[in-house]
Amino acid sequence: ALGNFAYRFFSGRSGVGGGRGQPIQAKVKLDKQRIWEGVAVPTYSPDYVLMYPALIPAFEADLVKFGRILRGEDISPKIHRIDILTLEQLDLMLENLAQKPDRLITFDVETRGFVDYKPGWSKMWCLGITAGEKDDQGIIVYEVPLEHDDSPFVNTPEMQIVVEKICDFIFSARLNNQNIKFDIRHLYRLAERHGISNRYQLV
């Protein structure tokens, strides 16, 4: 399903960027007597990809996934999760992510609540981040524990360094995120709790 119009036709929803590459069960009434039922895989339209070449890797990945579905292959992604537990590992992660500045960075945060009026309640447990790079074990996804009680950084002087480096990187990267408004706001609140929010401007 190429583009937002096709995505809406098959799913009844709009915003193909949020659903791209994810197979959806579709049942579509073609006319008074005919119904089409099957699986649709939405992605960007070729025209849109030509206007925004940074989307080419995502578009190509969606086409590959569609081919695998047609051949009946397993499409569940293989993930190589790397836990970041030291400052040295954090520096290596950021160095690896920064090697291709044209790549979209996808990140997600896990949190406890988001309550602006209740200071001290909201916490950013951890952050997952990837540039979509793969190795022989799968897509490389880094996981950085932050304000969770089990984090090696929580309540240590290293936490300030971790927050500064993470925020500096994410607020300057080209981002892709399913809940970006929420996650960016939560990251900004993390920066506030560590006295560095004046470095960044939320739009």
Side-chain angles (χ1 to χ4, degrees):
L2 300 175
N4 197 49
F5 181 81
Y7 179 51
R8 189 166 51 247
F9 177 79
F10 286 111
S11 71
R13 300 186 295 270
S14 61
V16 70
R20 54 148 287 267
Q22 302 305 313
I24 51 175
Q25 291 292 329
K27 189 172 183 179
V28 180
K29 189 172 183 178
L30 301 175
D31 55 35
K32 290 182 179 180
Q33 297 179 340
R34 294 183 304 153
I35 291 177
W36 179 88
E37 191 170 353
V39 175
V41 179
T43 190
Y44 304 111
S45 72
D47 287 347
Y48 191 73
V49 173
L50 290 174
M51 286 190 298
Y52 301 98
L55 299 175
I56 289 173
F59 180 72
E60 289 175 341
D62 293 345
L63 295 181
V64 168
K65 183 181 282 187
F66 180 64
R68 292 176 65 191
I69 291 171
L70 287 178
R71 293 188 297 273
E73 297 175 11
D74 179 16
I75 61 163
S76 55
K78 293 177 176 50
I79 304 296
H80 178 192
R81 192 183 104 190
I82 299 174
D83 292 324
I84 303 301
L85 304 174
T86 68
L87 289 180
E88 291 77 17
Q89 291 173 333
L90 180 71
D91 288 338
L92 280 173
M93 176 195 85
L94 294 173
E95 183 181 319
N96 289 340
L97 291 172
Q99 284 180 357
K100 295 189 176 181
D102 58 322
R103 293 295 296 265
L104 284 171
I105 299 297
T106 301
F107 77 102
D108 187 38
V109 301
E110 296 302 325
T111 64
R112 177 183 72 186
F114 191 87
V115 185
D116 285 340
Y117 59 84
K118 193 174 178 184
W121 169 253
S122 299
K123 299 287 183 186
M124 185 181 290
W125 293 139
C126 64
L127 175 137
I129 188 167
T130 183
E133 296 291 329
K134 295 181 182 178
D135 64 13
D136 58 345
Q137 297 179 55
I139 300 169
I140 299 171
V141 178
Y142 300 98
E143 185 175 299
V144 185
L146 293 166
E147 295 179 311
H148 192 277
D149 291 342
D150 294 334
S151 167
F153 305 118
V154 74
N155 299 323
T156 71
E158 292 179 335
M159 184 65 164
Q160 184 71 24
I161 298 168
V162 171
V163 171
E164 289 181 10
K165 289 186 175 189
I166 289 290
C167 289
D168 284 350
F169 179 79
I170 289 182
F171 283 123
S172 64
R174 295 180 63 246
L175 301 174
N176 177 35
N177 182 300
Q178 183 71 20
N179 302 305
I180 195 161
K181 290 180 183 177
F182 173 84
D183 288 350
I184 283 289
R185 189 169 172 213
H186 224 306
L187 197 66
Y188 187 78
R189 290 290 184 254
L190 179 70
E192 277 184 338
R193 291 195 288 278
H194 289 270
I196 59 169
S197 58
N198 60 334
R199 297 187 192 181
Y200 318 110
Q201 182 177 359
L202 289 186
V203 178

